Amino acid sequence: LGLNSFIINLVHDSVITEQHPKEFEIMGNLLRETLSKTILGFFKKLFNIDINYPLDIEVKSCSHWDYNEEK
């Protein structure tokens, strides 16, 4: 997509990203789609696991890895 934003690290159940100010919405949408829907096919293909319950994620944007400073 030619974005300036990118993933820095994954820590347990958190994805740390560096986001361009104009890309907050598109990054949130990409993360939601990838981590709650696309990953189901990955689990099936790699591990032969069918996940039959919904996966949901929460997206927060902060200037630092501090959930008290939500935008």
Side-chain angles (χ1 to χ4, degrees):
L1 297 174
L3 300 176
N4 294 304
S5 303
F6 53 92
I7 293 175
I8 295 174
N9 200 358
L10 302 169
V11 180
H12 300 290
D13 61 351
S14 296
V15 178
I16 312 303
T17 63
E18 180 72 35
Q19 294 183 354
H20 186 276
K22 294 181 179 179
E23 297 175 353
F24 284 129
E25 186 175 344
I26 194 165
M27 284 296 286
N29 291 338
L30 284 170
L31 290 168
R32 278 185 206 90
E33 179 71 24
T34 303
L35 298 174
S36 65
K37 297 178 183 168
T38 307
I39 199 165
L40 300 176
F42 174 78
F43 278 118
K44 177 64 176 173
K45 183 177 180 178
L46 191 62
F47 303 114
N48 198 28
I49 295 173
D50 286 312
I51 296 177
N52 60 358
Y53 52 87
L55 296 178
D56 193 22
I57 69 163
E58 181 179 0
V59 175
K60 296 181 181 182
S61 294
C62 306
S63 63
H64 295 82
W65 193 12
D66 178 3
Y67 295 126
N68 296 321
E69 190 185 327
E70 283 187 46
K71 288 186 179 181

